[in-house]
């Protein structure tokens, strides 16, 4: 087979031409990777709520036409100048945030918020030359969060690629590119519940259930799921959730309900909804003296967090997290190994699968609130 290195590749991509309109499968031209870039063949991608959010473009800058997608697994096709730690044939997961390994954040053991490659949802071009690698008949098509995985081939900065075990099934581990790692890491890396402890999870979507999975792996004895949608409770049992609270069932604040259930509050809580009331409840429901609350959900930009300073003075801790505090290149390969060692169960997150030609079905499922993750098979 002829090498495609240094050649423009023509392939199929699902293009979002305008906000809220179905994606259109188009033939696009994908330019070769430039300095510190890698071109990869995407084999499997999945749909995350963040894709839907920016596709709807309600409340953010609309950047169209654009190729969305950021949870995926693929194989390196070619590498650009300066790339030394990846080569053609390597299996990789593209990640919406990066790790340059050189900035103060990357050198810090406490941070994963790379100065160079931190997520930028408005940028539709590559960092190297401020140009797109995608085009249709010479017209540029914009990138999305450094990844753009709804294309059979895409170009990604090397710092946004995690090289993983080639034996790991890409149709399963692709979901570790975003939401599942975010929830899992929020519990394992930030909340850090001790064995036998109690954990409250606010929001039982895919990220919240991943946080519950982290609590299960940690050996928590009580995992209390909090959600306004009672239909989510049955599924959540598969992820270790032991008890359920629907705030709509009570006339008092849910933090008071949880405090009564747990003799003063839970040891840890993880908030995965982005709603400010849930964030405040998650903080106020942890036990004084040692309780830790972790915020994962992204609130409205104008939201304000209000609580009594006494809640902090009484030795409760409030923490935030970004991508579960995982550094993509350094840490995600070991999360893949947790799956390979059967410590982490990914199959239960995958509820649907569609061929690439039917990618809009994945959007329909998410908009209806059906299932957790839909795997999209490329080349089908």
């Amino acid at each position: 087979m002829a090498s495609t290195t240094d050649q423009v590749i023509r392939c199929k991509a699902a293009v979002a031409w305008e906000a809220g309109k179905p994606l259109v499968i188009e033939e696009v031209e994908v330019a070769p990777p430039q300095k510190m870039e890698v071109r990869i063949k995407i084999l499997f991608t999945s749909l995350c709520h963040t894709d839907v959010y920016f596709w709807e473009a309600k409340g953010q800058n609309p950047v169209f036409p654009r190729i969305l997608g950021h949870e995926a697994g693929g194989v390196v096709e070619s590498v650009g100048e300066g790339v030394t730690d990846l080569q053609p044939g390597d299996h990789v997961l593209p990640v919406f945030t990066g790790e340059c390994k050189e900035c103060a954040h990357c050198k810090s053991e406490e941070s994963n918020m790379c100065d160079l490659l931190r997520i930028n949802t408005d940028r539709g071009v590559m960092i190297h030359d401020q140009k797109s690698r995608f085009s249709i008949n010479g017209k540029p098509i914009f990138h999305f969060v450094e990844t753009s995985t709804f294309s059979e081939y895409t170009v990604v900065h090397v710092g946004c690629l995690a090289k993983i075990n080639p034996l790991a099934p890409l149709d399963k581990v692709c979901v570790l590119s975003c939401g599942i790692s975010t929830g899992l890491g929020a519990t394992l890396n930030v909340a850090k519940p001790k064995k036998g402890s109690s954990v409250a999870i606010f929001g039982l979507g895919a990220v919240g259930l991943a946080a519950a999975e982290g609590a299960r792996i940690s050996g928590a004895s009580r995992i209390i799921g909090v959600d306004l949608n009672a239909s989510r409770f049955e599924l959540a049992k598969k992820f270790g959730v032991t008890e359920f609270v629907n705030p709509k069932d009570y006339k008092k604040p849910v933090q008071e309900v949880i405090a009564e259930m747990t003799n003063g509050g839970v040891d840890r809580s993880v908030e995965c909804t982005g709603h400010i009331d849930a964030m405040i409840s998650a903080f106020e429901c942890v036990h004084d003296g040692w309780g830790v609350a972790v915020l994962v959900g992204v609130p409205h930009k104008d939201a304000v967090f209000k609580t009594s300073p006494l809640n902090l003075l009484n030795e409760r801790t409030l923490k935030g997290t970004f991508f579960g505090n995982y550094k993509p290149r350094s840490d995600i390969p070991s999360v893949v190994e947790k799956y390979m060692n059967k410590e982490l169960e990914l199959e239960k997150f995958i509820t649907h699968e569609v061929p690439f030609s039917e990618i809009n079905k994945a959007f329909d499922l998410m908009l209806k609130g059906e299932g957790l993750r839909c795997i999209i098979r490329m080349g089908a």
Side-chain angles (χ1 to χ4, degrees), residues 86-299:
L86 286 174
Q87 58 188 26
D90 285 343
H91 286 215
V92 290
L93 301 183
V95 181
F96 65 88
T97 184
E99 180 187 355
C100 72
K101 298 196 173 183
E102 294 173 3
C103 71
H105 283 277
C106 286
K107 288 179 177 177
S108 166
E109 292 181 4
E110 299 177 43
S111 176
N112 67 336
M113 301 187 74
C114 175
D115 281 327
L116 179 68
L117 299 169
R118 192 179 305 186
I119 185 171
N120 181 337
T121 56
D122 290 339
R123 185 170 57 229
V125 293
M126 300 301 289
I127 288 174
H128 171 60
D129 57 5
Q130 303 300 304
K131 293 180 181 176
S132 173
R133 302 291 173 257
F134 299 112
S135 61
I136 296 179
N137 298 325
K139 178 186 165 103
I141 307 294
F142 293 116
H143 294 250
F144 178 62
V145 295
E146 312 292 339
T147 51
S148 291
T149 62
F150 294 165
S151 175
E152 291 175 328
Y153 286 86
T154 188
V155 177
V156 180
H157 191 286
V158 66
C160 294
L161 289 170
K163 179 181 175 181
I164 63 163
N165 184 340
L167 299 178
L170 290 172
D171 60 335
K172 305 294 189 296
V173 298
C174 65
V175 299
L176 292 173
S177 290
C178 178
I180 310 310
S181 293
T182 295
L184 186 74
T187 303
L188 295 180
N189 298 335
V190 189
K192 298 180 180 176
K194 296 183 174 69
K195 190 172 183 180
S197 61
S198 57
V199 181
I201 308 291
F202 285 73
L204 298 176
V207 176
L209 292 175
E213 180 81 350
R216 180 190 70 78
I217 291 170
S218 299
S221 61
R222 296 179 73 180
I223 304 175
I224 302 168
V226 183
D227 201 294
L228 296 170
N229 184 351
S231 67
R232 289 178 160 178
F233 291 165
E234 195 57 38
L235 176 64
K237 291 176 183 175
K238 290 184 182 178
F239 298 83
V241 176
T242 57
E243 300 157 71
F244 304 97
V245 174
N246 186 334
K248 291 194 288 194
D249 294 342
Y250 300 89
K251 290 190 172 148
K252 63 177 85 168
V254 70
Q255 52 267 49
E256 293 180 19
V257 175
I258 292 171
E260 288 173 10
M261 290 170 62
T262 55
N263 194 25
V266 287
D267 302 309
R268 302 287 187 267
S269 71
V270 185
E271 191 287 323
C272 302
T273 72
H275 293 292
I276 196 68
D277 291 341
M279 292 180 165
I280 293 167
S281 297
F283 176 53
E284 294 184 353
C285 81
V286 298
H287 206 289
D288 58 5
W290 61 78
V292 178
V294 178
L295 305 185
V296 179
V298 179

